[in-house]
Amino acid sequence: MKLNRIVLLSALTATVAGTQVARADIGWKKNYNDAVASAKAGNKLIMIDFYTDWCVWCKRLDKDTYSDKHITQLASSMAPVKINAEKEGVALAKKYKVAGFPTILFLNADGDVEGKIGGYMPPEAFGAEMEKFQKSHVELPKMRAAIQKDPHNVAAAAFLAGNTAGKGEKEQAEKYLAVVVAGDPTNKSGHTAEAYNAVGDMYQEHNSFDKAIGYFSKAAAVGKTPKDLAYANMSIAACDFSLNKPKEARAAVNAALKIKGVPADLVGNLQQMDAALKKAGK
């Protein structure tokens, strides 16, 4: 799951200035071909940072996130490369349908997308996404084998629902979600709420906000953990804001803030969203 709602926060917070600098402490490859060669040699993920010269959030990412020691450590296990989407990376950006900046894609050595970060994230949230994609990269072959052996394996189906949703593969994500719901409709395993949230993320990413709200609402209905419940409500708030429904957005944020035991990172995001909405008079 994505750990914060960039759609809302970036729309309500101020932009920043700076200079586009590739931090020396991340071992950025010279070009995409070098990154592919490195990935193939070490079964690594390729981490592509698509940026532009005018993108203020790209500069913020360089300044705040790529300078973080934990991020540089995580990047050392990947093949990172920075690509200007309006210069040498025009064709590659078009191939992967990159339209907003920054966009960070995580590809396997064959060029298949295994993860995506759309927009700026601070170090903690960015690192959590990197860790998730790295873990997924390692686990993916095992889960594919598990679902092939047992097409009704709820844990494997939930994993693959999240994986395919992250790549925007709607038909596959829906198929795996259906397996999860059929096998565990009341979310006893915890996988059902996670799968609903993952598919909701996919539709939100593609601006299908009403459809996304439907999945997030289902996650909220069956969720067992404070994390799943808060995430679902936070995501509903972001979708409502995108649909110009500020009252509904505030209500969803307030509902999430009332949940006890929510992880600190989500609480921080919710408080920022709440403050941003208040500041904007929404």
Side-chain angles (χ1 to χ4, degrees):
M1 296 186 295
K2 296 178 177 62
L3 293 180
N4 62 358
R5 307 265 49 96
I6 299 302
V7 171
L8 178 56
L9 293 179
S10 62
L12 296 177
T13 52
T15 58
V16 296
T19 302
Q20 181 74 37
V21 177
R23 294 280 175 173
D25 44 5
I26 284 186
W28 299 105
K29 302 302 178 184
K30 292 182 179 180
N31 53 55
Y32 178 66
N33 289 336
D34 282 355
V36 171
S38 177
K40 288 183 177 180
N43 188 29
K44 299 177 181 179
L45 279 175
I46 302 167
M47 172 182 160
I48 306 180
D49 178 334
F50 285 100
Y51 72 95
T52 66
D53 292 330
W54 49 264
C55 169
V56 292
W57 287 106
C58 300
K59 298 165 188 175
R60 176 84 176 261
L61 195 65
D62 278 333
K63 181 177 180 292
D64 294 349
T65 303
Y66 291 151
S67 61
D68 183 84
K69 291 182 179 179
H70 184 52
I71 300 301
T72 60
Q73 182 181 13
L74 291 171
S76 68
S77 65
M78 301 181 180
V81 60
K82 291 178 72 67
I83 294 179
N84 191 317
E86 295 182 336
K87 293 181 180 178
E88 77 281 0
V90 171
L92 200 61
K94 183 178 181 180
K95 175 182 177 181
Y96 288 106
K97 299 179 181 179
V98 174
F101 307 99
T103 291
I104 300 87
L105 295 183
F106 297 81
L107 317 178
N108 60 29
D110 294 325
D112 301 321
V113 178
E114 292 194 11
K116 177 181 179 180
I117 296 176
Y120 167 81
M121 280 188 178
E124 184 178 359
F126 196 97
E129 291 293 275
M130 290 180 73
E131 289 173 346
K132 181 186 73 175
F133 297 144
Q134 179 63 23
K135 181 179 179 181
S136 177
H137 179 64
V138 173
E139 292 293 318
L140 184 57
K142 301 176 186 177
M143 292 300 175
R144 283 175 172 166
I147 202 74
Q148 186 172 9
K149 182 178 180 180
D150 176 12
H152 304 292
N153 186 315
V154 169
F159 178 95
L160 292 168
N163 179 268
T164 52
K167 294 186 285 188
E169 298 175 357
K170 296 179 183 179
E171 185 176 344
Q172 287 293 96
E174 293 273 12
K175 182 188 78 172
Y176 289 124
L177 173 61
V179 173
V180 178
V181 174
D184 185 12
T186 60
N187 193 40
K188 291 181 180 179
S189 66
H191 293 306
T192 310
E194 292 179 0
Y196 275 136
N197 275 330
V199 175
D201 280 336
M202 175 182 67
Y203 283 110
Q204 184 188 13
E205 181 75 18
H206 289 81
N207 298 327
S208 298
F209 300 115
D210 284 321
K211 196 161 188 176
I213 288 173
Y215 287 105
F216 291 133
S217 296
K218 289 178 180 179
V222 302
K224 307 291 185 184
T225 68
K227 179 180 178 181
D228 287 338
L229 291 169
Y231 186 86
N233 279 284
M234 182 174 70
S235 302
I236 289 170
C239 290
D240 280 330
F241 178 81
S242 297
L243 291 169
N244 196 29
K245 296 180 179 179
K247 291 183 180 179
E248 289 85 348
R250 284 291 302 279
V253 169
N254 290 334
L257 286 169
K258 291 178 181 178
I259 300 169
K260 295 181 179 180
V262 177
D265 59 336
L266 290 184
V267 172
N269 286 336
L270 286 163
Q271 290 173 339
Q272 289 180 43
M273 293 173 75
D274 188 46
L277 284 165
K278 288 178 180 176
K279 185 176 181 180
K282 301 296 185 181

